[in-house]
Amino acid sequence: KRHNNMASLNKAINKELFDNILPEYGSPRVKTPVWDEGQKMFICEEYESNAGNRYYRGIRFCNNIVVVEKVGLFHNWTYIDGIELYAFNNTRLELIQKHDYQNVFHNADFIKKETQNMLQNYFIGVLKAQKQPLDLEYVKSKSIDLVNQCYKSFLDYDYNTRLTQIVNTIEQK
């Protein structure tokens, strides 16, 4: 009998948990970052404008950088409105690169390449300002590697879940 009571309690807890994550129509949803496996990013701050267009911020990150995509959905089209690149300063985020776009269709390969170029430009600028030797091949390779790390699936068993604190930090910006 004790086992049945415990099973019933677990079932009730799980039902409440899932009802909060994916509620029925008319019920509020618990504010939780949404992982989109297809885009390999968290979707945050989704809203609808007065004109009926939808917008959201997509967040990808690794141990060293955070990439924020600003996305707009208009009728049947998806646009990239901007890309922001952040570096860590302890637990704070500092904007290191930003690019805004006008009427550019959302294209995953384009965004990944743009992000790699933005990071590469950041490295080159910092190295030049510090009068450090510049190995362009290494800078390019490092940029590609770091951006690729941002595309790791949150669902992978070895994902560093500590990094999800970044989502809350970005949402506060």
Side-chain angles (χ1 to χ4, degrees):
K1 183 169 177 151
R2 178 173 151 78
H3 178 69
N4 284 344
N5 286 344
M6 203 56 155
S8 294
L9 177 62
N10 282 340
K11 188 174 180 180
I13 289 171
N14 285 335
K15 181 184 177 345
E16 183 178 336
L17 174 67
F18 281 96
D19 284 350
N20 285 332
I21 294 172
L22 196 61
E24 293 179 7
Y25 177 78
S27 299
R29 189 172 78 80
V30 171
K31 187 174 180 186
T32 285
V34 175
W35 174 254
D36 183 336
E37 181 65 15
Q39 296 185 79
K40 298 282 190 271
M41 68 181 171
F42 287 93
I43 295 176
C44 301
E45 299 176 17
E46 184 183 356
Y47 69 94
E48 187 171 336
S49 70
N50 290 338
N53 301 319
R54 300 190 67 75
Y55 299 89
Y56 67 87
R57 295 200 320 168
I59 301 173
R60 292 187 184 91
F61 44 82
C62 65
N63 287 326
N64 303 91
I65 59 172
V66 176
V67 180
V68 176
E69 285 183 32
K70 294 180 178 180
V71 180
L73 309 168
F74 308 98
H75 307 290
N76 295 327
W77 301 286
T78 303
Y79 292 95
I80 181 70
D81 293 334
I83 300 173
E84 296 174 349
L85 192 56
Y86 292 86
F88 295 106
N89 184 353
N90 292 315
T91 58
R92 283 190 11 256
L93 293 173
E94 294 181 350
L95 181 67
I96 59 171
Q97 295 282 298
K98 181 180 188 313
H99 196 129
D100 293 321
Y101 303 92
Q102 200 72 29
N103 300 321
V104 174
F105 287 111
H106 191 279
N107 176 299
D109 293 332
F110 169 79
I111 291 167
K112 191 172 191 178
K113 186 73 174 153
E114 281 287 287
T115 305
Q116 291 166 349
N117 289 337
M118 290 167 68
L119 186 57
Q120 187 174 326
N121 289 338
Y122 169 73
F123 282 141
I124 291 170
V126 169
L127 291 171
K128 193 171 184 177
Q130 294 178 350
K131 297 181 178 13
Q132 296 294 318
L134 194 57
D135 180 346
L136 284 176
E137 283 306 309
Y138 181 76
V139 168
K140 183 176 181 179
S141 170
K142 186 69 175 172
S143 300
I144 290 170
D145 179 52
L146 284 172
V147 171
N148 285 342
Q149 287 178 39
C150 292
Y151 283 78
K152 182 172 180 55
S153 174
F154 179 65
L155 304 180
D156 287 354
Y157 74 94
D158 62 342
Y159 190 92
N160 183 353
T161 55
R162 176 183 64 86
L163 290 176
T164 57
Q165 296 170 13
I166 294 166
V167 175
N168 295 330
T169 304
I170 280 287
E171 286 184 322
Q172 295 169 5
K173 284 198 156 293

